[in-house]
Amino acid sequence: MIINAEVTIYNRKVNPDTRKVEYFGHVSPCHYYCENKVITGDKGDGGLKHADVFKIRIPAEYLDGYVVPDEYAKLPYSPEMTAWTVEKEDLFILGVYDLKINGIGDLQKTHRPYGMVDNYGDNRKGFIPHIRFGGCK
């Protein structure tokens, strides 16, 4: 698999003291692909609609500290989370970022490709073991 980028994935965890969602970033080399989708609107919507659809694959050799989403949910909260995962509604941004974010609005300000994970697959048993995820803005 060709590695052509790095991605920062932001996982969510609820702080039990404040009861607020906090995001923890993890940087990983990846194969990144972006496709611009265009559709025509219905009569009421009118015009064209478009969105960047991101497809990201992280090879198995870069999965140090990775846990499956169900196991990540069971981990206790820690201000220094080292484990990471990929699951729906996580956030990602192309490149290496050490940002403390509160949500997707913070990623918008960077003017870099970013999005929210809306699909995920664990393909570590195949010919080229990897996890893959995708999403759009």
Side-chain angles (χ1 to χ4, degrees):
M1 180 177 305
I2 297 171
I3 300 301
N4 62 0
E6 290 183 303
V7 65
T8 303
I9 302 164
Y10 286 98
N11 299 128
R12 303 172 321 276
K13 206 68 162 155
V14 175
N15 182 330
D17 296 333
T18 64
R19 297 184 186 210
K20 291 185 178 181
V21 173
E22 293 184 10
Y23 289 89
F24 297 92
H26 172 77
V27 177
S28 181
C30 68
H31 174 76
Y32 167 86
Y33 177 74
C34 178
E35 185 176 0
N36 189 274
K37 297 278 188 172
V38 178
I39 61 170
T40 57
D42 293 335
K43 290 182 181 180
D45 296 334
L48 295 175
K49 294 182 179 185
H50 67 91
D52 291 332
V53 177
F54 303 103
K55 299 174 184 175
I56 300 168
R57 288 174 172 76
I58 301 175
E61 61 260 29
Y62 300 112
L63 296 178
D64 290 340
Y66 173 81
V67 294
V68 295
D70 292 342
E71 293 299 316
Y72 185 82
K74 295 175 187 173
L75 293 175
Y77 169 85
S78 167
E80 302 295 325
M81 295 292 294
T82 56
W84 64 282
T85 193
V86 176
E87 63 182 326
K88 285 187 176 186
E89 297 183 14
D90 281 344
L91 304 177
F92 62 89
I93 187 166
L94 187 62
V96 177
Y97 284 91
D98 190 21
L99 300 173
K100 184 72 176 160
I101 67 168
N102 294 314
I104 201 161
D106 294 330
L107 298 180
Q108 286 176 314
K109 297 173 189 173
T110 64
H111 303 289
R112 297 284 301 152
Y114 70 91
M116 181 181 291
V117 174
D118 64 14
N119 63 74
Y120 160 81
D122 190 334
N123 300 324
R124 290 183 284 173
K125 293 186 176 36
F127 178 65
I128 302 174
H130 65 281
I131 59 169
R132 64 135 186 93
F133 61 95
C136 57
K137 291 183 182 181

